[in-house]
Amino acid sequence: MDNPLRIIISGGGTGGHIFPAISIANAIKELEPTAEILFVGAEGRMEMQRVPDAGYKIVGLPICGFDRKHLLKNITVLFKIWKSQRMAKRIIRQFRPMAAVGVGGYASGPTLNQCAAMGIPCLIQEQNSYAGVTNKLLAKKVEKICVAYEGMERFFPAEKIILTGNPVRNDVVNATIAPEQARKQFGLEPDKKTILLVGGSLGARTINESILQHLDIVEQSGVQFIWQTGKYYHASIKEQLKSHKPLPMLHVTDFISDMGAAYNAADLVISRAGASSISEFCLMGKPVILVPSPNVAEDHQTKNAMALVDKGAALCVKDAEAPATLLQLAVETVTDEARLKSLGSHCKEMGLPHSAATIAAEVMKIANRHKNK
């Protein structure tokens, strides 16, 4: 029997890293059903659950990021990096991969460093418009760098870059439910303008405050809202809403399991500016107001947002200004048909479809070259 292709995929820490990684794995399996894929992640992070749920094996490294506020704590971080390097080396020797893929996040550092040192060809995928520290450090050692934004030559060697876009959740962007039916699914009127507010699975305090402080605007706007509070804030928000009269135009939930329906129900989305979410908005041509999180490395969400704003593909509100201005801007925008159409069409122009398949094809090329040596 022919020796099957073996691929390592490493990285994680957030859904923004994990969902693209799983999409790439699925695309590799479509191209080569017999391929064996092993994920390497960080112990205790969400990939350790999400990857097995998707049907793939994962091993965890005791890796963590540097603590920039408490420098003395980094003594243990250095020990964890050393230990992770040793574990990664052992994992690679046992699995014998023909190629390695890094999707960003600190878990990919030890794995791809060891693969490169052992002569195994590597590819990295950078999801943001501002390259992450791990990927910048790995760039010289890898063969290909798949990016989602133009102008990434300022971080990486130009000859290695391939503009692929970010892999997305196909069940979300390909949802076929009609807007009217989707609104009914959320208990709303089928023909009214609808705004979707999402702050990630845990929620975004600023986006939540932007509604809580302006329930009068919600009530008087003539618009209806789907509001994902996030699990962390949900109980507190429900308690606060008890003191206000019923708001039938406001659907409040801690978590939305059917994001395809939520996007299709919405005429306008309010969201953080994570790379995966932005890629979904672009493929769907969805008008969006982005509120970049200030709590991310290198302020990369603001840079992601501005890449769209500069092309007329999104609006952006600073986190500090959102409670005062966001809701009013959203209501004005969702009732302005010309502005909605312009935002949606410019956003769609930035979408890069078939990203996972394109990246998978590049992985297969370098893996097959290594296999045939």
Side-chain angles (χ1 to χ4, degrees):
M1 185 178 172
D2 194 23
N3 192 16
L5 282 177
R6 294 181 297 277
I7 311 291
I8 274 183
I9 300 178
S10 186
T14 68
H17 288 124
I18 298 160
F19 296 130
I22 291 170
S23 294
I24 293 168
N26 292 340
I28 291 170
K29 292 291 277 185
E30 283 185 23
L31 291 171
E32 186 63 63
T34 62
E36 295 177 10
I37 297 172
L38 176 67
F39 280 76
V40 180
E43 288 177 355
R45 302 304 294 251
M46 63 188 293
E47 59 262 30
M48 301 307 293
Q49 176 186 339
R50 295 293 173 87
V51 169
D53 287 350
Y56 295 101
K57 184 179 177 183
I58 186 168
V59 290
L61 301 177
I63 189 80
C64 63
F66 278 100
D67 191 326
R68 300 180 188 189
K69 293 181 180 177
H70 308 96
L71 295 179
L72 286 176
K73 290 185 179 179
N74 290 319
I75 295 169
T76 57
V77 175
L78 291 170
F79 173 74
K80 288 180 177 180
I81 292 172
W82 174 81
K83 188 176 179 182
S84 295
Q85 295 273 12
R86 287 174 62 89
M87 287 180 65
K89 194 171 186 177
R90 188 164 64 248
I91 290 162
I92 294 159
R93 282 180 172 160
Q94 290 171 350
F95 186 66
R96 295 179 297 119
M98 292 149 188
V101 181
V103 295
Y106 38 76
S108 62
T111 310
L112 268 73
N113 271 320
Q114 290 298 325
C115 281
M118 297 163 77
I120 297 157
C122 301
L123 173 151
I124 56 175
Q125 196 242 337
E126 176 53 62
Q127 288 131 22
N128 294 294
S129 62
Y130 192 92
V133 173
T134 303
N135 277 348
K136 283 191 281 189
L137 292 171
L138 290 169
K140 291 180 181 178
K141 303 178 182 181
V142 304
E143 291 197 14
K144 295 291 181 183
I145 302 169
C146 297
V147 301
Y149 293 90
E150 296 171 352
M152 298 301 285
E153 297 83 3
R154 67 192 193 276
F155 302 112
F156 303 129
E159 68 276 6
K160 296 183 178 183
I161 292 175
I162 308 169
L163 184 63
T164 60
N166 283 325
V168 297
R169 298 173 289 179
N170 286 328
D171 59 326
V172 171
V173 298
N174 295 330
T176 56
I177 186 170
E180 296 79 9
Q181 188 60 38
R183 290 174 196 138
K184 284 183 181 178
Q185 189 171 305
F186 289 96
L188 299 172
E189 295 185 32
D191 300 318
K192 261 193 179 180
K193 288 288 184 186
T194 303
I195 296 171
L196 168 67
L197 301 101
V198 286
S201 58
L202 294 179
R205 184 180 59 81
T206 301
I207 292 176
N208 290 339
E209 285 298 323
S210 301
I211 285 215
L212 279 175
Q213 293 181 21
H214 299 286
L215 293 174
D216 56 328
I217 295 178
V218 170
E219 188 177 358
Q220 298 160 18
S221 64
V223 174
Q224 51 194 8
F225 300 81
I226 301 169
W227 179 15
Q228 180 184 282
T229 63
K231 294 180 180 179
Y232 185 79
Y233 300 99
H234 188 66
S236 168
I237 287 169
K238 291 292 278 187
E239 192 62 34
Q240 291 178 70
L241 288 174
K242 284 181 183 177
S243 62
H244 198 280
K245 67 181 181 180
L247 298 167
M249 75 295 295
L250 184 63
H251 175 87
V252 184
T253 181
D254 63 336
F255 180 74
I256 298 171
S257 56
D258 190 350
M259 282 305 301
Y263 283 151
N264 281 0
D267 298 284
L268 176 70
V269 180
I270 294 171
S271 171
R272 289 301 201 192
S276 292
S277 297
I278 285 179
S279 294
E280 290 174 352
F281 303 145
C282 289
L283 285 172
M284 299 176 78
K286 186 61 64 175
V288 60
I289 301 176
L290 298 169
V291 186
S293 170
N295 306 313
V296 294
E298 310 287 357
D299 195 26
H300 69 250
Q301 284 205 4
T302 295
K303 298 176 177 76
N304 289 349
M306 295 314 296
L308 271 69
V309 171
D310 290 345
K311 295 196 174 184
L315 302 178
C316 182
V317 175
K318 291 180 181 177
D319 187 83
E321 297 171 2
T325 65
L326 177 61
L327 199 59
Q328 187 61 48
L329 174 64
V331 170
E332 290 170 3
T333 302
V334 81
T335 52
D336 183 338
E337 283 298 337
R339 194 175 202 184
L340 279 183
K341 188 174 181 181
S342 175
L343 287 169
S345 62
H346 285 122
C347 193
K348 185 106 179 152
E349 286 168 8
M350 294 187 70
L352 291 166
H354 316 302
S355 297
T358 305
I359 295 167
E362 291 298 326
V363 176
M364 298 291 287
K365 281 182 197 174
I366 64 172
N368 278 313
R369 278 203 304 271
H370 183 73
K371 179 182 178 182
N372 294 330
K373 275 184 181 179

